[in-house]
Amino acid sequence: MILTIRQAAEMLSISVSTLRALVRAGEIAYVPRGVGTVRQHMGFDPADIEDFIKRSKKRLVPSGEPTRAPAPGSFLANRAARLAAKAARKTQK
């Protein structure tokens, strides 16, 4: 079964214009339908939509890799030190 552009956009929870932009960028394949003169009609294979979803998944921390402490002197290390000092001051009160 071929999905219409609206059905594919709903499946991805995005707007039709965003889906068209993804097609223009080559992120999602489409099946040409009809003989549109101004705007080509597009159909979408559900397998292509599922493939796009799989390729688009992101992880903040890759599985299997331990998280690292921030490097000394880096922004995150300085922030952690400031937050620790602030927490220490609160407990002293």
Side-chain angles (χ1 to χ4, degrees):
M1 176 177 131
I2 299 296
L3 302 172
T4 66
I5 195 165
R6 289 189 199 289
Q7 291 170 329
E10 279 182 24
M11 191 173 178
L12 291 168
S13 298
I14 59 176
S15 68
V16 171
S17 60
T18 300
L19 180 56
R20 287 184 190 280
L22 288 170
V23 168
R24 278 192 304 275
E27 294 290 327
I28 299 178
Y30 72 96
V31 178
R33 295 182 358 180
V35 290
T37 55
V38 175
R39 194 177 258 180
Q40 188 171 22
H41 294 271
M42 294 183 245
F44 296 89
D45 184 355
D48 289 336
I49 301 297
E50 292 294 329
D51 182 52
F52 172 75
I53 292 170
K54 287 178 186 171
R55 285 184 288 122
S56 299
K57 286 184 179 179
K58 303 270 188 228
R59 292 182 192 260
L60 292 179
V61 177
S63 60
E65 288 186 27
T67 57
R68 292 177 276 157
S74 71
F75 171 79
L76 290 177
N78 291 338
R79 182 175 185 272
R82 286 192 310 272
L83 290 175
K86 182 178 180 180
R89 284 192 307 270
K90 273 189 172 182
T91 57
Q92 289 175 356
K93 289 183 180 182

